[in-house]
Structures are given as C-alpha cells and as structure tokens.
Amino acid sequence: MDIEFPSEFVWGAATASYQIEGAWNEDGKGQSIWDTFSHTSGKIYNGDTGDTACDHYHLYKKDVALMAELGLHAYRFSTAWTRIFPEGRGKPNRKGRDFYDALIDQLLDQEIDPWLCFYHWDLPQALQDKGGWQNRDMVYWFADYAAFVAEAYGDRVKHFLILNEPNVAALLGHMLGLHAPGKSDFMTFIAASHHFNLATGLVTERLRSLSTEWQLGTVLNLQPVHPEKDTDEDMEAAELFHALMNRNVLDPLLKGQYPNETEAMLSSVVQDDDLRQIAQPLDFLGVNCYTRMLIKSDKKSPFSIAQASPPKGSELTAMNWEVYPKALYESLKNLQENYGNPRVFVTENGAAYKDELNARGEISDTARIRYLERHLEAVKEAMEEGANVSGYFVWSLLDNFEWAEGYAKRFGLIHVDYETQKRTPKQSFSWYQDVIREQGFDRS
Ligand code: IFM
C-alpha cells in the first residue's frame, strides 16, 4: 500500500442539519436564520431553499444504512437548534429532541460513532431578532443550549464539536452579506467573531463541569493565505487577511491572545477576562480545508484586501476553487509548528464536481476521487513529519444544499435526486469504502 494510515485512524463523513434535513417547519421546529434567508428573494441561486433538502429527517434510516455500507467509523452531523428549542430558549420541543435520539440510536446500532456539532449556522431567528451573534448575550444562550444537548445525548455521544467554521460564518454572514443573517458591516463582523470565540470557551468550561467523559473540540476553516505576487503590498494584504480569518480564531483559542494586527479592531468588544475564558484547553481541533486563498492588494477594497483569481491553467472544482492539496498540508503543519501540535481531525475536505448519471445510471466521479487521494496524501505527508492528525471526514456524505449556491453544487459521495429523493452512491463511495477497509490506498 502506497498511502497507509494507522489502524486507530478515524474515517468519517460529515453533513449539517440545514443542508440535509428538510422538514423545515415540521413537528414543532422553529424558524432559523437560514429559513428566513433562503425564503428571501434573490439570496440563493435559483431560489432554492432547504425546505426539503435531502429529506433526511424522514429518510435518516436509509441514510444510516448507506453509512454502514460505506464502513464509516464516525458520522459528523449537527443538531438544528430550532428543532430542540424552537425559539432558541425556553421550553424544549420533545419531537425535535426525539429525532436526534432516534438518529443516534440508529448510528450506534450500526456501530457508527456519532460526532455531534451544536452549531452549523442555523441560528434560531428569534435570537437573531435579539441581535444574534452581534449581541454578547448570545454566548450565554448558546452555552445553555449546548449544555442541554450534551446532557440529552451525552450518554451515547462522546465527541462534541462546539461550532462549525465560526470564521466563515462571521465573514460571509456578517461582513459580506452572502450568508444568513445577511449582514454587511465590519463592526458586526468583529463583534460576531469575538462572541463566537467566547462561546467556544464558555461551552468548553460548562461541558467540562458536566462530564469528564466527553471529547470536546471545535471546527475551524483554515485556508493558508498566499500573496498573489511577492510585492510588499500583496504580502501585507495577505498577512492581514490571514490574521482576520485564521489567526483571529487560532490565537485566542490556542494562545489566549488576539493577533497584533486585529487587537485594536477588537478593543470595543473584548472585556476583561474574555481571553482567559476563551483559551480553555480542547481535546482536539477540527480542521476544514478545501483550497488556499490568494490575496492581492487593492486600494479600492476594505483594508486593501482583495481576492485574486487562481493562477491561469489551475485545476478548479465546480465551486471555482483551485485544487491545491498543499493547502491542507500547510494548515496541518502550521498547527504543528506554531500552535503546539494539538490533536487534529480533518473534519471536512471534499470537492464539488458536475456529476452526471451515465446511461447505466452510474456516476463516475474520478475527479473527486483524485481530489480526495491527493488531499489524503497531503495529510499523510504532514503526519510523517509529526503533525498530530487522528482522523479524516469527507465533506460530504450526500449531495446537499450548498448555502448560497443552492443545489447546483454537489459535494456528496452519494448522489441525491432532489425530485425523487433517490440516493445513488457514486464511484467515490466505492473508492472510500476500499480506503476505509484497507486503511489507505495505492497511488493512482
Ligand atoms: O457546505 C459547506 C459546509 O457547510 C461548511 N464547510 C464548507 C462546505 C463546502 O462549501
């Protein structure tokens, strides 16, 4: 075997509540910011919504059977806050709570370890109406919700993920207005960024006081940032973007400080003791990585930071993201070299391609297989050089609602026909099945 992983390496796949569940207003579920956003005209490609998505709420048993066929060790999913607390706080909704009970039991019946993420972006609209992540009170509302969920399922769930990609939620949802709640304001971005960090620390502390048996981590999107050109201006812009996107989450969580570049911007929202509160030791860090970020200086853009296009001739995925496996290697090495080599799981990696069923009704997604192989090679290389990586989760198990891109972009190992809800495992599904069985693969 060319690329072989240790026998205890965890192989998983990931999804998120809003992207797959559907049943947006069933069984007492409340409205989330993504329900509101997707129902607002002009926000989502093609006017798509997550109302039905993959109908996983009703089809979860079939989906777990597919996970078992795939041979997954672990399944990463998120709970929809509004299924459990329709208004975000107050009286829990029994039926919503029962859904995750049933899902978790089904996973355990198939010997698949449930990895539960408390928050993958679908904030209750009722809390957004009180200011959402811009409001410091959110931190405490979130901690109450997370503690409730951990106590409800923590007899069977051992791995909890606190937030999914708070840095992306802060940027796309609060600064660029491309994701819910659709805000475009720098100070809202700054406040949300800090409150996400504070929430991570507070939840860690709360959960530790409830049980010592849980493995606690959080999930960050870490993209290495490269200057387009080796000019001082581009390098400076890249350094600042790296501070805003990567170090603004990594430094407070793992070093108890904000980067010099962003400290002054945050001064109006950071209170005494916040940094101590944030820097609670985690058991592991979840790393999501898809590509690198190329940055150029542009005087007309805020902070002179602009995204540059991938170099001419680059291989791109259907998201127009450059295929650049070294990004994952660099992210893992950065954690090893600059952050004390924490225990890491790659909690998302994958690619969207224009998958089409052939005449035999099959999907031969060889580009995705090649993408995944090259990224696993990058993980292996980092591990051989000492990076502390313990597992890998493909994004995603199923094709699903890709946020502002609606259903146009398919990331799944399993194709979903959204008209009929028919699931068709792609060639990458069989490939991943073999990888898990063999703990690796031969280079193609
Ligand atoms: O679909 C998303 C996921 O929700 C968060 N990480 C990136 C994925 C692909 O864009």
Side-chain angles (χ1 to χ4, degrees):
M1 178 107 19
D2 291 343
I3 305 290
E4 198 170 350
F5 288 84
S7 57
E8 63 283 2
F9 197 76
V10 175
W11 296 100
T15 64
S17 47
Y18 188 73
Q19 293 181 273
I20 65 163
E21 285 179 2
W24 77 283
N25 59 359
E26 266 182 62
D27 290 341
K29 180 183 167 295
Q31 187 162 327
S32 80
I33 56 172
W34 271 96
D35 293 314
T36 310
F37 195 70
S38 71
H39 291 168
T40 309
S41 158
K43 298 294 184 197
I44 312 293
Y45 176 79
N46 195 37
D48 290 344
T49 71
D51 291 4
T52 309
C54 308
D55 202 19
H56 173 76
Y57 187 72
H58 297 112
L59 300 177
Y60 73 91
K61 286 190 184 159
K62 276 193 181 166
D63 292 337
V64 174
L66 284 164
M67 294 178 215
E69 192 184 326
L70 183 54
L72 289 188
H73 301 168
Y75 171 56
R76 177 187 159 214
F77 66 102
S78 70
T79 43
W81 188 336
T82 51
R83 262 190 218 294
I84 301 174
F85 290 100
E87 299 294 310
R89 311 162 64 203
K91 196 168 167 302
N93 172 34
R94 184 79 243 179
K95 285 192 172 162
R97 184 177 161 170
D98 289 350
F99 170 67
Y100 297 109
D101 260 322
L103 171 64
I104 290 163
D105 289 344
Q106 194 74 21
L107 289 164
L108 292 172
D109 275 356
Q110 298 294 339
E111 296 180 15
I112 300 168
D113 200 11
W115 285 44
L116 187 156
C117 178
F118 299 117
Y119 185 81
H120 199 121
W121 303 353
D122 40 358
L123 181 73
Q125 181 61 45
L127 299 184
Q128 183 60 43
D129 295 342
K130 296 181 190 300
W133 288 102
Q134 189 181 356
N135 180 349
R136 192 178 166 97
D137 291 341
M138 256 309 303
V139 173
Y140 304 95
W141 300 329
F142 177 63
D144 290 344
Y145 152 71
F148 180 90
V149 171
E151 288 201 288
Y153 308 118
D155 54 337
R156 288 152 292 157
V157 176
K158 297 298 165 221
H159 292 86
F160 288 107
L161 306 156
I162 297 170
L163 292 170
N164 178 70
E165 298 183 1
N167 47 348
V168 173
L171 183 77
L172 298 188
H174 298 81
M175 168 99 170
L176 300 180
L178 298 171
H179 279 189
K183 306 275 177 209
S184 331
D185 173 64
F186 183 69
M187 279 322 290
T188 308
F189 160 75
I190 284 291
S193 304
H194 180 61
H195 296 149
F196 278 133
N197 287 334
L198 192 55
T200 307
L202 192 71
V203 168
T204 307
E205 194 176 63
R206 280 280 282 282
L207 266 50
R208 297 272 187 231
S209 73
L210 296 174
S211 169
T212 50
E213 287 195 4
W214 300 326
Q215 290 288 299
L216 305 181
T218 199
V219 176
L220 306 176
N221 184 303
L222 299 178
Q223 291 189 32
V225 182
H226 294 168
E228 185 188 36
K229 300 201 185 87
D230 280 348
T231 59
D232 288 349
E233 292 79 14
D234 282 7
M235 287 197 282
E236 211 175 288
E239 212 37 69
L240 183 55
F241 190 74
H242 176 52
L244 283 163
M245 277 309 284
N246 297 328
R247 294 185 54 212
N248 232 18
V249 279
L250 285 172
D251 289 16
L253 286 175
L254 301 176
K255 295 183 172 170
Q257 65 193 40
Y258 276 111
N260 286 340
E261 291 87 338
T262 63
E263 216 178 0
M265 301 174 188
L266 284 146
S267 61
S268 61
V269 290
V270 179
Q271 298 186 8
D272 287 352
D273 203 42
D274 281 4
L275 284 158
R276 182 209 60 80
Q277 178 68 76
I278 293 171
Q280 303 296 314
L282 291 163
D283 297 307
F284 64 91
L285 199 66
V287 172
N288 294 357
C289 183
Y290 291 84
T291 185
R292 65 170 166 171
M293 180 61 79
L294 264 191
I295 291 290
K296 63 181 177 190
S297 163
D298 174 5
K299 297 279 170 276
K300 292 187 289 305
S301 305
F303 300 100
S304 299
I305 298 174
Q307 186 173 356
S309 309
K312 271 212 173 58
S314 306
E315 192 185 331
L316 304 177
T317 70
M319 296 291 282
N320 279 328
W321 294 348
E322 183 186 359
V323 178
Y324 192 83
K326 219 168 160 238
L328 184 49
Y329 167 86
E330 284 178 22
S331 293
L332 298 171
K333 291 295 287 177
N334 179 33
L335 291 170
Q336 179 191 352
E337 284 163 8
N338 300 317
Y339 293 93
N341 207 11
R343 186 171 197 216
V344 166
F345 291 88
V346 176
T347 36
E348 280 183 31
N349 174 242
Y353 285 103
K354 200 166 179 304
D355 300 321
E356 270 159 5
L357 292 152
N358 64 21
R360 291 189 303 280
E362 296 158 353
I363 291 148
S364 172
D365 56 338
T366 48
R368 177 173 294 105
I369 294 173
R370 193 63 201 124
Y371 176 99
L372 295 171
E373 278 183 351
R374 291 174 66 192
H375 284 78
L376 279 170
E377 286 170 21
V379 173
K380 187 66 203 299
E381 193 181 339
M383 287 169 72
E384 276 167 2
E385 292 174 18
N388 188 5
V389 188
S390 298
Y392 174 92
F393 291 68
V394 172
W395 183 270
S396 176
L397 178 75
L398 302 165
D399 290 340
N400 59 47
F401 178 82
E402 177 53 26
W403 309 114
E405 304 291 336
Y407 296 102
K409 306 291 188 237
R410 295 179 174 274
F411 276 89
L413 297 173
I414 300 170
H415 178 272
V416 176
D417 178 329
Y418 296 109
E419 296 286 309
T420 61
Q421 292 299 343
K422 183 170 187 279
R423 272 71 165 141
T424 307
K426 303 177 191 175
Q427 196 177 325
S428 56
F429 179 97
S430 314
W431 169 84
Y432 197 44
Q433 211 172 30
D434 291 344
V435 171
I436 298 175
R437 194 182 305 120
E438 308 285 331
Q439 293 290 124
F441 57 91
D442 283 325
R443 247 179 253 266
S444 57

